[in-house]
Amino acid sequence: MKRDVLNEDDYDEVCRVIGDAVVVLAESGRETRRDDISDLLKRARQHRSHSERDEQRMLEHAIRLVKP
């Protein structure tokens, strides 16, 4: 995914979501490789399937952005 697909605010939010995932993985002593980040984001998306559409959209963009 290229940055120009998202507006600047959405891109910033997607980067924040990815950063949060990296922090969670690092704090739990796990690897922070792309596939590990993607797996964590996919699990978050599944657990938050009832969330607002915007949150789901940000998770989808984050998953595509870090996809190995």
Side-chain angles (χ1 to χ4, degrees):
M1 166 179 295
K2 294 188 181 345
R3 179 184 172 150
D4 60 352
V5 173
L6 297 169
N7 67 43
E8 188 174 337
D9 289 338
D10 287 348
Y11 183 79
D12 290 346
E13 179 64 14
V14 167
C15 290
R16 187 196 62 76
V17 168
I18 293 168
D20 287 350
V22 169
V23 169
V24 167
L25 289 170
E27 286 180 345
S28 65
R30 296 186 50 206
E31 294 289 324
T32 57
R33 298 178 313 223
R34 284 177 170 250
D35 56 338
D36 296 318
I37 298 166
S38 179
D39 289 344
L40 178 63
L41 292 170
K42 287 176 185 176
R43 285 194 306 273
R45 182 187 59 196
Q46 289 174 342
H47 286 100
R48 295 179 177 180
S49 60
H50 62 284
S51 301
E52 292 181 17
R53 177 70 184 133
D54 283 343
E55 185 176 341
Q56 288 293 318
R57 188 171 58 86
M58 290 301 119
L59 284 167
E60 289 292 331
H61 283 299
I63 291 165
R64 283 195 296 267
L65 191 63
V66 300
K67 189 182 346 181

